[in-house]
Amino acid sequence: MSSYESLTTESAVSLVKKLGLFAQSESLSCQEIGDGNLNYVFHIIGKEKSVIVKQALPYAKVVGESWPLTLERADIENRALRLQGKYAPDYTPKVYYSDKDLAITIMEDLSHLEIARTGLINGEDYPLIAEHTGEFIARTLYSTSDFAMGPQEKKKLQNTFCNPELCDITEGLVFTDPFFDADTNDFEEGLRSDVEKIWQDTALKLHAAQLKRLFLTSGDALLHGDLHTGSIFASARETKVIDPEFAFYGPFGFDIAHFTANLFMNALSRPESRREPVYAHIATVWDVFNREFTRLWKEDNKEAFARTEGYLKWLLADIFEQATGFMGLEMIRRTIGLAHVKDLDGIADTETRLEAKRRSLSIGARFVKERRQFSTADELVEAFKEGL
Ligand code: SR1
Ligand code: MG
């Protein structure tokens, strides 16, 4: 029988003391600081150290108890963090303790950093964020792929990261619902005619269906699964990727697509004169991803065809094409689906906000439909500028 009960600030403090992370006599401060959609996050501070206690709730916090959700995701997150910590230690928070029954992970306190989405909205540029995130994605993906592990070991690991309920959220909220008059959709009335055009755009729906199939069936590597700018803590020098509860074996292009889509949506929220650093991040993350993936491919590869001329070049081009499509879908769903982004929702002036959301929809749709016609990040940035 499971011993799950949801933590309070008091029971979170008792737990960290019982685990010996702090002395029984120490006076600790504890605050629930979770502002995500799904979990409680307790920040516990002592005299000399501090920790984060993250607990999954048996339902989606963003909707309430009417949307039950598996607690298994805490175990997925904890195991994904440990693997990401193995392959990309500089960019992953340290895990101190986890408990499957209580659905908790106790980890490094990153409160000296800031959630990148918040910082980017407030005009921070984080000069190293794209380089670090590109390395994180290339290393975690390559290291869990057939190329690095060999098919047998990879399949064994893949079996332990099935994550059907969280994948179902993505399949619904990202790939399906925005293209139909679904109850989960949430958009401003001023966008209704734009949204109805999307629902009637058969060509766009066919592309969405093709990309959804890729997400459903491609098990290339262990993805983070939700790598938007709210899943990154950053400063001018450091980057840490958090919250891999959506981790599962999926297509290589998915994580980089969500990172770049959220950068483009941040660019939409900035005045034109402040957009260049964001465009530079999009070029850098692709450069670094390609460079690092190539380095790992050449250094350690179990695939017999690894040195076959043209294979790596074809694979990187294929990843770019699928990522361009996934990026467009993320730009569409964050505008009209259930889960929005503060970058766009936070634009105070109604007409400016609606215009930015219309741009996110039209540019997103172009990325989805024309994904085969782009081959470099600079071309994506050019297309984005044309769409403004
Ligand atoms: C009910 S969860 C809504 C969204 O929040 C997560 O961060 C994922 O992006 C998901 O789609
Ligand atoms: Mg999250």
Side-chain angles (χ1 to χ4, degrees):
M1 206 181 71
S2 162
S3 53
Y4 181 85
E5 56 184 77
S6 57
L7 291 176
T8 59
T9 48
E10 291 76 28
S11 59
V13 165
S14 306
L15 177 70
V16 292
K17 287 186 173 180
K18 192 172 114 198
L19 291 169
L21 294 170
F22 295 89
Q24 284 293 344
S25 56
E26 191 167 348
S27 139
L28 301 178
S29 94
C30 178
Q31 251 190 308
E32 203 282 308
I33 55 163
D35 67 349
N37 292 325
L38 302 175
N39 307 293
Y40 277 146
V41 180
F42 297 95
H43 185 201
I44 303 184
I45 308 175
K47 232 181 4 230
E48 276 159 17
K49 63 178 178 202
S50 53
V51 296
I52 289 293
V53 179
K54 179 169 176 181
Q55 183 176 46
L57 295 171
Y59 53 87
K61 196 167 116 192
V62 66
V63 175
E65 295 189 28
S66 62
W67 187 341
L69 259 192
T70 175
L71 294 173
E72 275 276 322
R73 67 187 195 278
D75 181 50
I76 297 254
E77 170 163 355
N78 158 53
R79 288 186 291 112
L81 277 173
R82 290 178 195 267
L83 273 176
Q84 291 162 350
K86 177 171 166 194
Y87 299 123
D90 292 347
Y91 310 129
T92 308
K94 290 185 191 67
V95 175
Y96 302 133
Y97 176 83
S98 57
D99 183 316
K100 203 172 165 179
D101 288 336
L102 274 177
I104 57 163
T105 306
I106 303 185
M107 63 189 125
E108 186 180 358
D109 175 17
L110 300 173
S111 59
H112 62 293
L113 308 176
E114 183 177 35
I115 287 290
R117 185 186 305 288
T118 311
L120 287 165
I121 290 171
N122 294 333
E124 293 287 338
D125 290 334
Y126 301 123
L128 297 175
I129 194 172
E131 175 152 356
H132 292 169
T133 306
E135 284 184 356
F136 173 89
I137 296 173
R139 288 178 192 169
T140 55
L141 266 50
Y142 186 84
S143 307
T144 56
S145 71
D146 286 299
F147 303 114
M149 301 187 78
Q152 288 204 36
E153 286 312 306
K154 179 211 135 178
K155 283 189 183 70
K156 286 182 204 159
L157 184 64
Q158 181 172 12
N159 251 334
T160 68
F161 280 100
C162 192
N163 213 354
E165 282 194 72
L166 282 270
C167 285
D168 180 62
I169 292 180
T170 306
E171 286 145 20
L173 298 188
V174 179
F175 289 96
T176 314
D177 299 353
F179 300 94
F180 297 90
D181 188 2
D183 287 346
T184 54
N185 289 331
D186 176 16
F187 55 84
E188 300 188 51
E189 218 27 58
L191 290 177
R192 177 161 289 277
S193 68
D194 305 85
V195 175
E196 284 175 350
K197 269 193 215 127
I198 287 184
W199 294 343
Q200 284 149 19
D201 188 339
T202 314
L204 179 63
K205 288 168 93 158
L206 176 58
H207 285 285
Q210 291 164 345
L211 288 160
K212 179 178 177 183
R213 181 170 171 277
L214 199 58
F215 182 83
L216 288 166
T217 58
S218 305
D220 286 326
L222 182 66
L223 308 185
H224 176 282
D226 194 27
L227 217 177
H228 52 83
T229 49
S231 296
I232 299 177
F233 266 113
S235 71
R237 284 186 305 276
E238 271 185 277
T239 307
K240 302 276 181 188
V241 178
I242 61 165
D243 275 5
E245 65 202 316
F246 283 77
F248 86 110
Y249 261 81
F252 276 135
F254 191 75
D255 284 343
I256 195 164
H258 279 227
F259 179 63
T260 49
N262 281 270
L263 289 176
F264 273 133
M265 288 185 281
N266 179 262
L268 283 172
S269 75
R270 290 181 172 216
E272 202 185 330
S273 60
R274 296 281 307 118
R275 288 181 183 149
E276 281 307 322
V278 182
Y279 297 151
H281 285 332
I282 290 164
T284 301
V285 73
W286 271 111
D287 277 355
V288 172
F289 174 82
N290 286 334
R291 183 195 73 204
E292 196 58 13
F293 196 94
T294 301
R295 182 184 70 78
L296 293 164
W297 174 281
K298 290 184 175 161
E299 192 178 276
D300 172 30
N301 201 320
K302 297 198 165 45
E303 171 56 58
F305 287 102
R307 287 176 194 278
T308 300
E309 207 185 317
Y311 187 20
L312 174 61
K313 193 171 169 210
W314 167 82
L315 178 61
L316 292 174
D318 190 51
I319 295 172
F320 188 82
E321 178 194 311
Q322 41 165 277
T324 302
F326 292 141
M327 186 177 68
L329 293 180
E330 170 74 354
M331 292 175 74
I332 293 172
R333 76 99 171 201
R334 292 293 190 180
T335 312
I336 61 177
L338 176 94
H340 289 203
V341 290
K342 282 197 193 116
D343 314 58
L344 296 178
D345 276 359
I347 301 172
D349 176 68
T350 303
E351 242 341 282
T352 314
R353 187 177 63 251
L354 288 176
E355 251 330 287
K357 290 186 176 184
R358 284 190 193 107
R359 298 282 80 83
S360 193
L361 289 174
S362 59
I363 298 169
R366 180 172 176 199
F367 285 149
V368 171
K369 285 176 165 171
E370 297 179 21
R371 64 189 181 283
R372 296 184 182 106
Q373 277 142 52
F374 297 104
S375 47
T376 66
D378 288 342
E379 288 170 11
L380 298 179
V381 170
E382 276 320 300
F384 179 84
K385 289 178 182 169
E386 280 165 27
L388 291 174

